[in-house]
Amino acid sequence: MTNLLELKDVTKSFGRVYSLRKVNMTVRPGEVLGLLGDNGAGKSTLIKVLAGVHQPSAGDILWDGVKTTLDTPRVAMSRGISVVYQDLGIIPLLSIWRNFFLGREEEVSRKLPFHWLLRTSHMRSVARQALTKLGIHIDDVDLTVAKLSGGERQSIAIARAVHFQSKLLILDEPTAALSLKETAKVLSYVRAASEQGVAVVLITHNIAHAFEVCDRFTVLFHGAVAETTEKEGVTEQELANLINTGTRMQHRIAV
Ligand SMILES: Nc1ncnc2c1ncn2[C@@H]1O[C@H](COP(=O)(O)OP(=O)(O)O)[C@@H](O)[C@H]1O
Ligand SMILES: [Mg+2]
């Protein structure tokens, strides 16, 4: 099976600071890959490379087996890469359905040019269906997003990426600010997205959450890959050690 995405020796430096050092990483179609690492490990830099925000200083990116460049966020998006940052790209004072179609209104206008009413009812029903398809139950898509919980906001961003046929969905700390119950829901939507064939890169600090939904893990340590492993090949304790020390072993504290 061809990897959906492959990074080969990707390095990114800002002046004399090396944020990524010869990173090798793969994402398989439809899998959930956990991208783990302590603060400053290079996770955000890596996703900005994938989002077309930063260009690598060295190394190659292969998309569907073909060498590619992601020159701008627009290019990355047109390849099918969706990134949900912590601020989600969602506007609280707009309704759910407006947010769902944010940035895509022109496409809809082209399809239904003269029928304002038809257009809005079309967008409402598409948004409702897309949410339902992922198991998200929100009755009223006319509610403003400001009225929703953090988990529901995440769910809209995930449903949007699935509906608009992203191949790769990157989520940056989606459960960071959520309650336990909300977290469980968001994790279930992550699984649902992958069951619809969308590959997910899940960035998280929380090893238990990662363990619950990921198929594999890539752990970054000081900008380099400490290890990539299948979930079956590692324990939660070893993952914690990899994140903290770069190896599976817990370093002894010197006395
Ligand atoms: N635009 C930038 N300019 C200079 N240094 C940066 C920039 N972005 C990130 N860094 C540095 O790269 C390293 C990795 O940061 P980052 O990718 O944000 O890590 P993480 O998301 O894992 O916390 C840090 O040392 C950070 O200070
Ligand atoms: Mg970060």
Side-chain angles (χ1 to χ4, degrees):
M1 191 167 54
T2 314
N3 289 313
L4 177 63
L5 175 77
E6 182 168 1
L7 302 187
K8 285 189 167 169
D9 291 334
V10 166
T11 292
K12 177 68 186 176
S13 58
F14 297 98
R16 290 164 64 190
V17 179
Y18 278 78
S19 299
L20 297 173
R21 303 162 192 268
K22 294 197 169 227
V23 168
N24 289 294
M25 184 177 99
T26 57
V27 182
R28 299 169 183 163
E31 79 168 341
V32 182
L33 176 76
L35 180 62
L36 309 177
D38 207 350
N39 275 334
K43 306 179 297 294
S44 295
T45 306
L46 183 55
I47 63 169
K48 283 180 189 158
V49 166
L50 300 180
V53 174
H54 290 325
Q55 298 306 307
S57 315
D60 291 326
I61 300 172
L62 279 71
W63 182 248
D64 264 333
V66 181
K67 200 173 141 179
T68 190
T69 56
L70 302 168
D71 303 289
T72 63
R74 192 162 279 277
V75 170
M77 207 201 241
S78 73
R79 296 275 200 288
I81 299 176
S82 276
V83 185
V84 180
Y85 295 104
Q86 272 161 312
D87 70 2
L88 298 176
I90 271 179
I91 302 179
L93 289 176
L94 291 182
S95 68
I96 293 170
W97 68 269
R98 296 272 316 262
N99 268 287
F100 196 87
F101 279 92
L102 210 61
R104 316 245 181 198
E105 296 88 347
E106 264 180 52
E107 281 167 46
V108 184
S109 296
R110 271 200 301 274
K111 261 193 266 171
L112 298 164
F114 304 116
H115 302 89
W116 178 82
L117 261 177
L118 252 167
R119 205 153 66 217
T120 57
S121 80
H122 167 79
M123 288 191 275
R124 280 192 180 86
S125 91
V126 168
R128 204 177 292 117
Q129 281 166 24
L131 291 167
T132 307
K133 205 169 156 193
L134 278 195
I136 300 160
H137 302 292
I138 294 176
D139 297 326
D140 186 1
V141 292
D142 283 307
L143 284 178
T144 63
V145 165
K147 297 222 170 70
L148 302 182
S149 67
E152 286 169 330
R153 292 180 199 201
Q154 285 286 346
S155 74
I156 290 166
I158 295 170
R160 187 167 65 181
V162 173
H163 177 76
F164 292 106
Q165 297 180 328
S166 302
K167 293 192 176 122
L168 176 62
L169 170 61
I170 302 172
L171 299 169
D172 193 0
E173 296 275 0
T175 57
L178 302 186
S179 69
L180 276 178
K181 198 171 155 202
E182 292 261 285
T183 295
K185 278 197 204 157
V186 168
L187 295 180
S188 81
Y189 306 143
V190 168
R191 272 311 335 166
S194 109
E195 275 151 26
Q196 306 272 333
V198 181
V200 181
V201 173
L202 176 70
I203 293 158
T204 177
H205 266 83
N206 191 309
I207 295 166
H209 297 171
F211 233 76
E212 211 174 309
V213 291
C214 297
D215 302 302
R216 294 193 305 141
F217 305 105
T218 290
V219 182
L220 288 176
F221 186 73
H222 292 189
V225 174
E227 202 182 307
T228 291
T229 172
E230 305 278 339
K231 177 160 85 179
E232 288 72 31
V234 70
T235 65
E236 292 190 36
Q237 182 60 57
E238 285 169 331
L239 266 187
N241 296 344
L242 280 164
I243 291 167
N244 294 327
T245 72
T247 74
R248 287 194 180 211
M249 256 123 40
Q250 198 158 13
H251 287 193
R252 248 193 235 161
I253 299 160
V255 282

